[in-house]
């Protein structure tokens, strides 16, 4: 596609023209929107007025302009017209729901808005006017304010949009605004988003820095190791960030204290620059202005490199227009990569490429390249956004993030302001016979709009074409993630059971999220007692007294004056007690009966076997025949009822401790006697549920592959599901050996597992929470192993956070507070993890030498493996749980598997007694 610009070599704005005067990002100097023609028809008698916030004629013109622009964008994307339902205001749950607010041009942010409608239906709101928003002081937070939304266009799946009024107004949990300094809504938007309590994705202060070409080029060259065009800059009273500092490759900065009498200096500097080797093969140079005031302006002149006089004259003329902290740039025009390549016949004019990339901040503040498109045009016509059609780089955002960490809240425009996405423009050139991208500039919405325009060409699904992830998808996920943090900051939560070393992440995460934890724990010397707001020493393992203990704990909570927002647990021993306590305190939780049902494994299966009614498929289809065992006589009865081979396990057990394959009646009796003798109470093996007793069950052994499904459920609705694959176990035991995430199953099989897990939870009455469901996939479909009515253990929380950016701990805390977790509707994995478990009984020598804790931690810190420590001490025993999980990441399961196998061989984890290659064989 060609950009056929009709202008000649001396194109753009004449130097003396009014067109070079200041213009805001939202419109021209008149303050009115540009005259536009929107082809198509839609209703115009819609309620754009916001009650209590009248608009002047100019502001009203902008609101109408943006509404018509939105309808035109929707129409061209094949999406339905916005429906006006403002006559019946929405009520909602003020302060308890995610509200993603976008204030800006619909065409710039359309991809974000549509993706938000999919990931968080009804919570992505477009405000077409600043008058639709109100900024109110935040109680207890001086100089900060809360942003309330009274009117907006809400986005829903399928591109459905509604014009809504909100009574009472919704509280914004994330704000993204188009900003500008000139006349029009841009200046007002900049004031609205300054110093908000909620997360903000942009500010005028950061935009002023990041869209200054000179500053960003220096930043990219020095910190991002990114190639930039050779540039000579004349800067009038430069900002502090440009003063001093080391030299930057290809950049020459000349500081000016005045604009008059600089002829000799300019001539000398330009002469040296035009002869410099840094220009390489460039035949032309461009002269342009740099600074926030010139953002988006097309003030540019091109000259042959040999013409010193005209370049000097243009620089001197532009110097007169400079204000403080602005610059005149003389830069090399990068020679285009020739398409077609030399030697091939050229069917037409020589072409040039301009690459446009969108980079988004993701979990852990890591930059992710989400989309790359390019513009194609003639070599003799400079390529710009919106003058070329889009066709079908992370160091830049990393450098920007590094810059922001050194800025104060005032310099960023507020405590919660961060740059969550960035557009990076590159020219594709040739250096040393190699194609090289050269960074031209950073921008906010232009690259995002270009990527959205390309996606708009394919908005309608086409047979045989797989849907690509939208460029805005990682940005929307970040908006949701930061909204969740905002909603949960300062929440007071009672936590029952601290857990062991495998749960150390809880305390760091709570501090990071701003949660105020109050802990109930049996161990008076637990290390976590020093890391919480309140520590209550209480024996939580006496489960025969759970009802009485719940009443006693409720009295202790009231006596201490704790004002709790929620109460939860991730520790098996405390799940039923937690439900009873929530009932006593009137806090959100699943019914105690549901938690008891899920906690006792035989009751879970037998209950679901009876759930045969509609809707189909009924939970009974997933249940497995079993029989509870409390005495030797029960064993004789069970072997007559349950087909053998079977699996014997503790009724209330955890971590696969005591689980064994039994082939006949004699093995059943032998294993029952051994468990009855060895594991009688909590002291024999703490933390696996022996406080409930050591009753067992016998269930049918199911052939098939084993999988974990981690669910997030709220109000009986499935919000998210994460499926992982488990490797073969070392029979007759069932201790986990290996795992892979995401699943390698076909999408249909994956959804069968998700639906089976979800329906089994609903069948037990588990309507709210984060649950871990273990299943096997057989030739006849999924079969249930057991339900753990809490967050998945071992490595699962860490892996899901790493791959999907979803924190199950935060989701569980939100559900405990009665808040719907802010999760993307369809989270996508950003890679693959394959891991193997290490056991003290099999790896004591390696774990004491080649694979010591210190060695594994060092490899983890270097990014060579992912370590999850599950036990503190190297103590071998007959009934053991894994000591640690060691995993490797990769862009594919095969690459992650190869890396892990090589690592295990080098560390001594792999061997004849523990064949890692076999354990990983299921993941091919």
């Amino acid at each position: 596609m060609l950009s056929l610009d009709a202008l000649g070599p001396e194109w753009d704005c004449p130097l003396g023209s009014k067109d070079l005067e200041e213009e805001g990002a939202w419109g021209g100097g008149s303050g009115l929107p540009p005259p536009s023609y929107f082809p198509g028809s839609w209703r115009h008698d819609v309620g754009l007025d916001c009650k209590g916030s009248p608009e002047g004629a100019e502001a009203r013109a902008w609101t109408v302009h943006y509404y018509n622009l939105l309808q035109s964008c929707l129409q061209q994307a094949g999406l339905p017209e916005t429906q006006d339902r403002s006559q019946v205001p929405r009520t909602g749950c003020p302060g308890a729901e995610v509200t993603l607010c976008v204030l800006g041009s619909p065409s710039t942010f359309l991809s974000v808005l549509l993706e938000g409608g999919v990931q968080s239906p009804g919570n992505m709101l477009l405000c077409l006017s600043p008058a639709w928003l109100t900024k109110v002081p935040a109680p207890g937070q001086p100089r900060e304010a809360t942003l309330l939304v009274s009117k907006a266009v809400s986005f829903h799946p399928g591109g459905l949009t509604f014009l809504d009024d909100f009574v009472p107004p919704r509280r914004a949990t994330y704000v993204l605004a188009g900003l500008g300094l000139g006349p029009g809504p841009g200046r007002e938007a900049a004031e609205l988003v300054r110093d908000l309590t909620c997360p903000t994705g942009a500010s005028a202060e950061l935009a002023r820095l990041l869209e200054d070409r000179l500053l960003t080029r220096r930043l990219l060259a020095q910190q991002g190791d990114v190639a930039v065009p050779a540039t000579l800059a004349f800067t009038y009273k430069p900002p502090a960030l440009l003063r001093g500092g080391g030299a930057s490759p290809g950049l020459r900065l000349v500081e000016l204290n005045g604009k008059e009498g600089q002829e000799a200096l300019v001539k000398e500097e330009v002469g040296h620059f035009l002869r410099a080797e840094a220009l390489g093969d460039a035949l032309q140079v461009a002269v342009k202005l740099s600074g926030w005031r010139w953002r988006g302006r097309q003030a540019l002149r091109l000259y042959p490199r040999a013409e010193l006089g005209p370049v000097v004259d243009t620089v001197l003329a532009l110097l007169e227009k400079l204000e403080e902290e602005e610059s005149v740039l003389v830069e090399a025009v990068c020679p285009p990569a020739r398409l077609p390549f030399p030697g091939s016949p050229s069917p037409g004019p020589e072409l040039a490429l301009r690459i446009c990339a969108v980079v988004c901040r993701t979990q852990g503040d890591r930059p992710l390249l989400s989309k790359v498109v390019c513009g194609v045009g003639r070599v003799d016509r400079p390529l710009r956004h919106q003058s070329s059609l889009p066709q079908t780089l992370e160091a830049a955002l990393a450098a920007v993030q590094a810059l922001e960490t050194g800025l104060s809240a005032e310099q960023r425009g507020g405590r919660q302001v961060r740059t969550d996405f960035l557009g990076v423009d590159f020219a594709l050139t040739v250096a040393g016979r190699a194609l090289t991208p050269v960074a031209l500039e950073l921008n906010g919405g232009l690259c995002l709009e270009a990527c959205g325009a390309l996606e708009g060409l394919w908005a309608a699904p086409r047979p045989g074409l797989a849907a690509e992830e939208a460029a805005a998808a990682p940005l929307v996920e970040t908006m949701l993630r930061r909204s969740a943090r905002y909603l949960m900051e300062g929440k007071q939560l009672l936590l029952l059971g601290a857990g062991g070393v495998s749960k150390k992440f809880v305390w760091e995460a709570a501090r990071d999220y701003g949660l105020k934890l109050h802990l109930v724990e049996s161990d008076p010397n637990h290390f976590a007692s020093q890391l919480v707001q309140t520590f209550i020493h209480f024996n939580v393992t006496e489960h025969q007294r759970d009802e009485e203990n719940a009443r006693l704990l409720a009295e202790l909570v009231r006596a201490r004056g704790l004002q709790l927002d929620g109460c939860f647990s991730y520790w098996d021993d405390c799940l039923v007690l937690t439900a009873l306590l929530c009932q006593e305190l009137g806090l959100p939780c699943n019914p105690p009966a549901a938690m008891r049902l899920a906690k006792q494994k035989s009751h879970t299966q037998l209950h679901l076997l009876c759930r045969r009614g509609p809707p189909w498929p009924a939970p009974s289809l997933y249940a497995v025949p079993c029989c509870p065992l409390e005495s030797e006589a029960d064993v004789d009865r069970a072997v007559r009822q349950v087909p053998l081979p079977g699996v014997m396990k503790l009724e209330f057990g955890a971590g696969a401790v005591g689980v064994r394959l039994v082939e006949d009646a004699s093995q059943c009796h032998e294993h029952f006697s051994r468990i009855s003798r060895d594991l009688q109470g909590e002291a024999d093996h703490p933390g696996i549920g022996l406080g409930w007793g050591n009753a067992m069950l016998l269930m049918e052994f199911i052939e098939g592959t084993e999988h974990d499904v981690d669910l997030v459920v709220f109000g009986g609705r499935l919000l998210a599901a994460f499926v992982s694959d488990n490797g073969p176990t070392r029979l007759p035991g069932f201790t986990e050996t290996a795992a892979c995430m995401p699943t390698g199953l076909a999408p249909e099989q994956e959804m069968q597992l998700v639906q089976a897990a979800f329906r089994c939870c609903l069948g037990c009455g588990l309507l709210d929470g984060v649950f871990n469901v273990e299943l096997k996939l057989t030739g006849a479909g999924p079969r249930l192993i057991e339900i753990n009515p809490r967050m998945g253990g071992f490595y699962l929380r860490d892996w899901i956070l790493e791959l999907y950016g979803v924190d199950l701990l935060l989701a569980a805390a939100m559900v405990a507070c009665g808040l719907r977790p802010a999760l993307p509707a369809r989270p996508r994995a950003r890679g693959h993890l394959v891991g193997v478990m290490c056991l003290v009984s099999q790896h004591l020598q390696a774990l004491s030498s080649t694979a010591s804790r210190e060695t594994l931690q060092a490899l983890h810190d270097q990014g060579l493996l992912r370590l999850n420590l599950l036990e503190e001490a190297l103590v071998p025993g007959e009934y053991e749980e894994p000591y640690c999980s060691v995993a490797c990441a990769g862009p594919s399961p095969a690459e992650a598997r190869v890396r892990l196998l090589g690592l295990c061989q080098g560390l001594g984890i792999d061997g004849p007694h523990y064949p890692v290659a076999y354990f990983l064989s299921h993941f091919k």
Side-chain angles (χ1 to χ4, degrees):
M1 304 291 181
L2 292 181
S3 167
L4 299 177
D5 198 324
L7 296 170
E10 292 192 4
W11 49 280
D12 283 336
C13 311
L15 288 176
S17 154
K18 278 186 170 182
D19 292 317
L20 270 178
E21 297 303 318
E22 179 179 342
E23 179 183 15
W26 291 56
S30 67
L32 293 172
S36 302
Y37 170 66
F38 298 110
S41 59
W42 47 80
R43 292 178 61 93
H44 293 273
D45 57 337
V46 292
L48 297 179
D49 293 325
C50 186
K51 295 175 182 177
S53 300
E55 292 182 299
E58 183 180 302
R60 175 70 178 182
W62 277 103
T63 304
V64 172
H65 169 79
Y66 280 131
Y67 182 80
N68 288 330
L69 179 57
L70 171 63
Q71 301 315 306
S72 180
C73 291
L74 293 173
Q75 187 179 75
Q76 292 179 38
L79 299 173
E81 170 184 346
T82 300
Q83 299 299 304
D84 184 2
R85 56 183 190 186
S86 59
Q87 299 304 314
V88 182
R90 311 285 108 184
T91 52
C93 306
E97 57 193 345
V98 168
T99 300
L100 311 177
C101 175
V102 173
L103 175 60
S105 168
S107 61
T108 298
F109 295 109
L110 186 65
S111 62
V112 179
L113 297 163
L114 293 175
E115 180 67 20
V118 172
Q119 292 201 34
S120 189
N123 297 323
M124 176 62 79
L125 306 181
L126 170 63
C127 291
L128 300 174
S129 168
W132 295 6
L133 297 159
T134 306
K135 192 173 182 180
V136 298
Q141 293 175 286
R143 299 187 58 193
E144 292 190 345
T146 299
L147 198 62
L148 303 178
V149 185
S150 298
K151 191 182 194 73
V153 177
S154 61
F155 283 72
H156 299 259
L160 295 178
T161 55
F162 299 94
L163 183 61
D164 288 325
D165 279 11
F166 303 104
V167 179
R170 291 181 65 159
R171 185 183 67 165
T173 60
Y174 185 97
V175 179
L176 185 61
L179 305 165
L181 295 181
R187 187 186 295 274
E188 194 172 349
E191 290 300 322
L192 275 174
V193 302
R194 182 176 287 112
D195 292 321
L196 295 178
T197 57
C198 71
T200 310
S203 69
E205 287 79 1
L206 283 184
R208 177 188 287 272
L209 296 176
L210 300 181
E211 301 206 16
D212 184 313
R213 288 189 184 95
L214 177 58
L215 177 61
T216 53
R217 284 185 186 177
R218 183 172 178 178
L219 180 68
L220 293 177
Q222 288 185 341
Q223 297 187 32
D225 195 25
V226 177
V228 298
T231 305
L232 170 65
F234 296 95
T235 306
Y236 178 53
K237 296 184 179 179
L241 289 171
L242 277 175
R243 295 190 203 120
S248 304
L251 293 181
R252 166 71 175 159
L253 177 63
V254 180
E255 297 185 18
L256 303 176
N257 291 322
K259 296 183 285 184
E260 306 294 334
Q262 303 293 344
E263 291 82 359
L265 175 64
V266 169
K267 185 175 181 179
E268 179 184 359
E269 291 287 351
V270 171
H272 285 311
F273 178 74
L274 295 179
R275 296 189 298 270
E277 292 183 4
L279 272 69
D281 297 330
L283 299 177
Q284 290 181 304
V285 294
V287 185
K288 61 178 69 172
L289 290 159
S290 174
W292 168 262
R293 197 161 56 102
W294 305 105
R295 186 180 80 131
R297 300 300 301 127
Q298 299 180 359
L300 170 71
R301 284 290 184 91
L302 291 180
Y303 296 101
R305 180 176 171 180
E307 295 187 4
L308 173 62
V311 175
V312 171
D313 291 343
T314 304
V315 170
L316 291 171
L318 290 177
L319 284 180
E320 299 177 6
K321 301 182 175 296
L322 292 186
E323 294 183 359
E324 291 186 9
E325 301 188 354
E326 295 180 344
S327 305
V328 177
L329 306 184
V330 184
E331 65 181 48
V333 177
C334 300
R338 299 178 182 275
L339 300 176
F341 289 102
S344 303
S346 176
E350 207 170 291
L351 302 180
L353 293 176
R354 181 180 179 124
I355 300 172
C356 172
V358 172
V359 188
C360 298
R361 185 192 297 261
T362 61
Q363 171 66 32
D365 290 338
R366 286 172 293 188
L368 175 71
L369 180 64
S370 68
K371 184 79 75 171
V372 177
V373 299
C374 67
V376 183
R378 288 171 50 166
V379 166
D380 58 344
R381 299 290 186 266
L383 288 173
R384 299 197 196 88
H385 287 283
Q386 302 168 336
S387 66
S388 60
L389 294 177
Q391 322 284 315
T392 264
L393 307 154
E394 282 138 342
L397 184 54
V400 169
Q401 290 175 191
L403 170 68
E404 288 182 9
T405 57
L407 301 177
S408 66
E410 185 177 359
Q411 289 174 310
R412 294 196 311 273
R415 176 177 56 91
Q416 291 274 36
V417 177
R418 295 190 323 190
T419 299
D420 286 332
F421 79 100
L422 201 62
V424 189
D425 275 325
F426 294 90
L428 191 62
T429 186
V430 177
R433 300 184 61 81
L435 286 175
T436 302
V438 177
L440 300 177
E441 63 182 4
L442 307 182
N443 62 71
L446 290 174
C447 285
L448 188 65
E449 187 170 4
C451 292
L454 178 64
E455 293 164 1
L457 299 176
W458 304 96
R462 302 191 178 204
L465 289 178
E468 281 194 30
E469 185 176 32
L475 172 59
V476 173
E477 291 174 12
T478 295
M479 295 166 79
L480 288 169
R481 192 178 301 114
R482 294 188 67 191
S483 290
R485 285 172 166 268
Y486 176 61
L487 287 171
M488 290 300 293
E489 187 176 9
K491 294 293 185 189
Q492 306 278 341
L493 285 141
L494 186 66
L495 177 62
L496 272 66
V501 64
S502 66
K503 297 297 185 289
K504 277 190 172 180
F505 65 83
V506 171
W507 321 110
E508 181 180 344
R511 184 172 61 252
D512 183 38
Y513 292 136
L515 303 179
K516 308 297 184 184
L517 293 186
H518 308 272
L519 177 62
V520 178
E521 166 59 37
S522 301
D523 180 3
N525 300 313
H526 198 286
F527 70 88
S529 64
Q530 305 300 314
L531 305 175
V532 292
Q533 305 292 312
T534 305
F535 180 74
I536 300 176
H537 175 224
F538 194 95
N539 187 355
V540 297
T541 63
E542 297 177 323
H543 299 300
Q544 292 76 14
R545 302 177 57 190
D546 272 348
E547 286 83 359
E548 179 186 350
N549 286 339
R551 290 190 291 271
L552 291 174
L553 277 172
E555 292 174 7
L556 285 173
V557 167
R558 296 186 185 105
R560 295 189 178 220
L562 301 182
Q563 300 297 314
L564 299 176
D565 297 295
C567 172
F568 76 118
S569 179
Y570 45 74
W571 201 240
D572 282 294
D573 256 345
C574 303
L575 300 176
V576 173
L577 177 60
T578 299
L580 290 165
L581 179 57
C582 287
Q583 195 174 63
E584 289 285 335
L585 296 173
L587 295 171
C589 192
N590 289 294
M595 298 300 280
R596 283 197 181 97
L597 188 60
K599 183 60 188 158
Q600 191 165 0
K601 295 174 174 57
S602 66
H603 286 198
T604 305
Q605 300 283 4
L606 296 173
H607 173 80
L608 292 176
L609 280 170
C610 298
R611 299 295 301 270
R612 302 180 181 276
W616 187 87
S620 59
L621 296 175
Y622 309 119
V624 177
C626 68
C627 188
L629 309 173
E630 294 187 3
S631 66
E632 290 282 355
D634 291 333
V635 177
D636 291 325
R637 176 172 51 85
V639 296
R640 293 192 296 269
Q641 296 180 3
V642 178
L644 297 178
V647 178
M648 290 185 70
K649 59 172 70 175
L650 289 164
E651 274 279 22
F652 304 96
V657 174
V659 184
R660 189 174 184 85
L661 180 71
V662 287
E663 304 278 357
D664 51 37
S666 63
Q667 289 186 8
C668 292
H669 280 286
E670 180 184 350
H671 190 55
F672 183 84
S673 298
R674 184 185 304 114
I675 295 297
S676 299
R677 180 186 67 247
D678 296 345
L679 301 176
Q680 296 184 12
E682 183 71 15
D684 294 323
H685 202 304
I688 64 164
L690 291 173
W692 296 89
N694 64 349
M696 301 188 73
L697 74 149
L698 173 66
M699 64 186 297
E700 182 181 350
F701 175 69
I702 303 298
E703 294 281 359
T705 55
E706 188 171 336
H707 306 270
D708 278 66
V709 182
D710 288 272
L711 304 174
V712 181
V713 181
F714 186 75
R717 296 184 180 276
L718 179 63
L719 301 188
F722 307 93
V723 181
S724 55
D725 305 334
N726 292 335
T729 60
R730 299 168 61 243
L731 296 175
F734 286 88
T735 302
E736 186 173 325
T737 59
C740 176
M741 183 182 282
T743 177
L745 295 173
E748 178 185 350
Q749 295 173 308
E750 180 182 11
M751 289 313 300
Q752 286 179 357
L753 287 170
V754 170
Q755 281 302 309
F758 179 48
R759 289 169 185 266
C760 287
C761 286
L762 293 185
C764 290
L766 299 173
L767 305 181
D768 297 279
V770 176
F771 310 122
N772 170 257
V773 185
E774 299 175 29
L775 302 112
K776 275 197 170 182
L777 185 60
T778 74
R783 292 294 182 269
L784 176 67
I785 300 175
E786 63 188 46
I787 298 174
N788 299 304
R790 41 81 179 156
M791 177 178 67
F794 290 167
Y795 50 82
L796 285 168
R797 180 260 181 182
D798 176 59
W799 283 22
I800 291 169
L801 181 60
E802 172 70 14
L803 292 175
Y804 297 93
V806 172
D807 191 344
L808 295 184
L809 176 65
L810 184 60
M814 293 189 76
V815 173
C817 293
L819 301 177
R820 179 188 174 102
L823 302 176
R826 49 183 188 192
R828 301 195 188 195
R830 310 287 180 195
H832 297 263
L833 280 168
V834 177
V836 66
M837 293 292 195
C838 295
L839 307 176
V840 175
S841 63
Q842 303 299 316
H843 300 111
L844 180 58
Q845 182 177 351
L847 292 172
S848 303
S849 56
T850 53
S852 68
R853 180 173 174 177
E854 293 75 19
T855 299
L856 295 177
Q857 186 63 53
L859 292 171
H860 174 93
D861 294 341
Q862 295 170 40
L864 298 177
L865 61 77
R866 194 158 197 90
L867 172 66
N868 281 277
L869 197 64
L870 310 176
E871 293 290 336
E872 191 79 59
L874 293 171
V875 180
E878 182 178 358
Y879 305 102
E880 67 176 342
E881 297 178 83
Y883 173 75
C884 68
S885 165
V886 174
C888 285
S892 68
E895 189 166 336
R897 190 174 62 247
V898 169
R899 290 177 182 174
L900 179 63
L901 183 57
L903 199 70
C904 289
Q905 291 170 344
L907 293 172
I909 296 171
D910 178 47
H913 62 289
Y914 203 79
V916 172
Y918 168 67
F919 298 144
L920 304 182
S921 62
H922 278 38
F923 308 144
K924 291 184 179 178

